[in-house]
Amino acid sequence: MSSSLASAGALLLLWGLTGPALAQEEDASPVDEIPTARPNDLLDPKAKTTEEEPRERASSGKPDEEVVEPPVWKLLVQDEEDYAACLDDLKGYGVSYRELPPVTDEEVADCGIVRPLEIDSIVPGVSVEPKAVLRCPAVRALAEWVTRFALPASLALPDRGPLISLQQGSTYVCRRRNNADDGLVSEHAFGNAIDIMAFGFASGDPIPVEPRMREGTMAEAFQRAVRASACLSFTTVLGPGTDSAHADHLHLDIKERRGDFRLCQ
């Protein structure tokens, strides 16, 4: 591992311990209290957004013409050049994966992935358990985060050794946000999200994701560090202290928002 990666991990470890955005998990605002990234909205105290706000779809602008809206997963399709570049990035990180046939859902048209990938290990020596099904851009974000931040941060833990596994609770699944009966479709339904339940190490006990406010332990320090650094690779990072639905895992997704706004709680 290069010294630059180790230095980045150390800096993010320190930032995760002291950064004001995550220093008090119990004070984190509810998801629906975060403003959008549009400059005018930031000046409007009534402006709100959510973890997964409705996606804008193309319209012809003709009032008398019926607009046929394509499923969301089709709006996220990468062209051949972008997809090939993404796979090249995965090769560079050493991701172990296989390409799967397209995933769709007969009951919910918006659920699906055109080019799903099944991930066995996200970087050499770090498995994903169980195997994860995601879009290539989400896999790339996960590999970047593990390589640059999570793996270097694990080297600071005594008696555990390096990170060897990510224990995930959900990747692709056709469901609504927070498993609600109605409302917006989750980013999980497009292969854009992963829920990390615990981190496994070469020796010693795993570190489960859980509320750890003022434990003062290295497990708390590691959890805070990797959570803080995740917002450099993902556009949404939610976890303990965000709300009751995220008390036992880190939700990481790559939802695109106006102005590259990032929702990190």
Side-chain angles (χ1 to χ4, degrees):
M1 183 176 302
S2 69
S3 60
S4 60
L5 290 185
S7 298
L11 287 174
L12 265 297
L13 178 63
L14 178 61
W15 191 90
L17 289 172
T18 61
L22 294 176
Q24 303 246 344
E25 288 181 340
E26 77 280 15
D27 292 336
S29 302
V31 172
D32 61 2
E33 293 297 319
I34 297 297
T36 67
R38 291 173 295 174
N40 290 339
D41 286 348
L42 293 176
L43 301 178
D44 180 1
K46 297 181 180 179
K48 308 290 182 183
T49 189
T50 61
E51 170 192 341
E52 293 163 18
E53 57 192 275
R55 294 176 179 271
E56 297 177 3
R57 306 196 190 202
S59 171
S60 67
K62 299 178 181 179
D64 296 330
E65 179 179 339
E66 181 179 354
V67 177
V68 178
E69 298 180 339
V72 170
W73 57 277
K74 286 190 175 182
L75 298 175
L76 299 174
V77 176
Q78 294 176 282
D79 62 31
E80 294 296 332
E81 183 177 352
D82 286 345
Y83 182 64
C86 187
L87 293 183
D88 283 344
D89 289 341
L90 301 193
K91 181 179 179 180
Y93 284 117
V95 180
S96 174
Y97 69 90
R98 69 186 184 100
E99 297 178 83
L100 300 178
V103 175
T104 59
D105 191 277
E106 294 182 356
E107 296 183 1
V108 184
D110 271 342
C111 294
I113 311 175
V114 175
R115 288 170 166 150
L117 301 179
E118 184 181 67
I119 310 307
D120 180 32
S121 62
I122 194 60
V123 299
V126 181
S127 63
V128 181
E129 303 174 359
K131 295 179 180 180
V133 176
L134 295 163
R135 291 177 62 232
C136 187
V139 179
R140 179 170 54 196
L142 187 64
E144 175 186 276
W145 172 60
V146 170
T147 298
R148 295 183 178 180
F149 305 112
L151 187 53
S154 72
L155 300 180
L157 297 173
D159 304 323
R160 277 193 167 91
L163 181 72
I164 62 168
S165 69
L166 299 177
Q167 299 171 18
Q168 60 94 3
S170 179
T171 50
Y172 172 78
V173 58
C174 184
R175 66 170 175 81
R176 299 189 186 278
R177 181 166 60 89
N178 296 338
N179 290 304
D181 294 331
D182 54 20
L184 302 175
V185 177
S186 171
E187 290 297 306
H188 286 281
F190 318 130
N192 275 348
I194 183 170
D195 290 343
I196 305 297
M197 313 300 294
F199 300 86
F201 304 92
S203 59
D205 295 332
I207 294 180
V209 177
E210 60 188 30
R212 296 182 178 278
M213 211 280 293
R214 296 190 181 93
E215 273 187 357
T217 62
M218 286 298 287
E220 179 186 17
F222 176 80
Q223 181 172 301
R224 288 185 182 276
V226 296
R227 179 176 178 169
S229 61
C231 214
L232 296 175
S233 300
F234 294 89
T235 59
T236 309
V237 178
L238 307 174
T242 300
D243 55 30
S244 59
H246 299 91
D248 62 353
H249 66 275
L250 295 180
H251 169 94
L252 311 175
D253 75 48
I254 58 167
K255 176 181 173 61
E256 294 183 4
R257 299 182 180 87
R258 288 179 293 272
D260 193 32
F261 179 75
R262 297 189 174 221
L263 180 61
C264 305
Q265 293 189 323

